[in-house]
Amino acid sequence: MKRKLAYSGIVIVVILLIFSAYKLMNARNYQLFGNITSHVETNDKVVALTFDDGPTKNTDAILSLLDDFQVKATFFLIGKDIEEHPEEARKIAAAGHQIGNHTYSHKRMVLKSPAFIKHEIEKTDDLIAEIGYTKSIVVRPPYGKKLIGFPYYLNKHQRETITWNLEPDTFFIQADEKVRYVKENIRPGSIILMHPMYDSTENELQAIEEILQTLLDEGYTFVTIDELLTIKND
């Protein structure tokens, strides 16, 4: 009987540990080391539009759309994609948008060695520097997933984890649904995550265009992550 109780207790502890690790891995506003930002508390009607992945052949269309609205965004680029499309990456930098580090291989930063994490971040930093980008490089983990090693490395190098609080692509497919979701959930200081780089339907571009127009009409100003962090640190 005692053996069964002990075994049951161990199983419960293991389940709780797995559940806690899962919650920590996916948390948008909590981690064990260093700073993490999913949004900023402010009364100013500012919002950061961020794009993950790429660069790809879709870059020109994205930049053209942003230019039409005179909006600056933050692009979290993948190192291996920069290697494949360096000219597209240079266009983003030349257009004055902020560039972030989305790791080299876009693998989940969970249960990875310190050497692997170091290589993923530093190689991508180097590639971003090679395209002529000279400003600070913010960092976002692929899929937003991190446990111990990734935030530990960033904290050690005085960098913070950037996540998001609005993710229309996760919940919806159609452009009008994504726009409605953003409109209903937007608040000052929000960070919006979108994925237009691999889209071949133009549905994502349509959603971005309508989100830009909707939020501008509501009096919002679009800022980069660095600009948003300035508000947070004031």
Side-chain angles (χ1 to χ4, degrees):
M1 184 65 179
K2 290 182 179 179
R3 185 174 297 177
K4 288 183 178 179
L5 287 174
Y7 177 76
S8 297
I10 292 172
V11 171
I12 291 172
V13 169
V14 170
I15 291 172
L16 288 174
L17 287 173
I18 293 173
F19 178 76
S20 298
Y22 176 81
K23 296 292 286 185
L24 178 62
M25 176 181 70
N26 290 288
R28 300 288 180 255
N29 52 15
Y30 177 78
Q31 60 186 17
L32 293 178
F33 300 99
N35 296 324
I36 183 170
T37 296
S38 63
H39 67 283
V40 167
E41 296 294 338
T42 178
N43 293 321
D44 297 332
K45 296 187 76 172
V46 294
V47 58
L49 179 61
T50 68
F51 304 125
D52 277 9
D53 310 334
T56 67
K57 63 181 181 180
N58 288 353
T59 299
D60 283 343
I62 300 166
L63 293 178
S64 177
L65 178 59
L66 294 173
D67 187 57
D68 287 343
F69 284 90
Q70 296 185 322
V71 161
K72 298 301 181 188
T74 302
F75 291 75
F76 287 90
L77 302 182
I78 298 171
K80 64 180 182 179
D81 285 351
I82 296 175
E83 284 184 329
E84 292 178 13
H85 305 280
E87 289 305 318
E88 305 304 311
R90 290 189 183 95
K91 291 176 184 177
I92 297 171
H97 298 284
Q98 185 171 4
I99 293 179
N101 183 324
H102 203 36
T103 74
Y104 179 78
S105 67
H106 199 255
K107 293 181 179 178
R108 288 171 173 79
M109 293 294 108
V110 177
L111 303 179
K112 296 293 191 291
S113 70
F116 180 88
I117 293 169
K118 181 179 188 302
H119 175 265
E120 287 281 310
I121 295 174
E122 294 184 4
K123 183 168 184 176
T124 305
D125 279 345
D126 290 343
L127 289 166
I128 291 172
E130 287 174 12
I131 63 169
Y133 189 78
T134 59
K135 299 178 183 178
S136 63
I137 303 173
V138 288
V139 186
R140 173 177 284 167
Y143 313 101
K145 298 186 185 300
K146 69 278 174 290
L147 271 177
I148 298 174
F150 189 84
Y152 178 82
Y153 173 90
L154 292 186
N155 184 50
K156 182 179 177 181
H157 294 272
Q158 292 80 52
R159 300 169 78 171
E160 67 178 281
T161 305
I162 304 298
T163 57
W164 59 86
N165 66 324
L166 293 180
E167 45 186 315
D169 297 341
T170 300
F171 306 113
F172 303 103
I173 296 175
Q174 300 303 318
D176 60 339
E177 295 175 321
K178 296 179 183 184
V179 176
R180 183 168 61 251
Y181 161 82
V182 171
K183 185 174 182 179
E184 291 175 352
N185 292 280
I186 194 69
R187 58 174 168 163
S190 286
I191 299 176
I192 303 172
L193 164 63
M194 302 195 76
H195 299 84
M197 284 293 181
Y198 302 128
D199 179 56
S200 59
T201 66
E202 297 190 0
N203 176 71
E204 189 77 343
L205 279 178
Q206 179 187 345
I208 294 169
E209 180 176 3
E210 293 181 17
I211 287 170
L212 288 169
Q213 188 63 66
T214 297
L215 295 186
L216 288 170
D217 288 345
E218 292 188 0
Y220 278 90
T221 298
F222 286 86
V223 297
T224 63
I225 290 296
D226 268 356
E227 290 169 328
L228 201 63
L229 292 177
T230 298
I231 295 172
K232 174 184 176 181
N233 295 327
D234 280 348

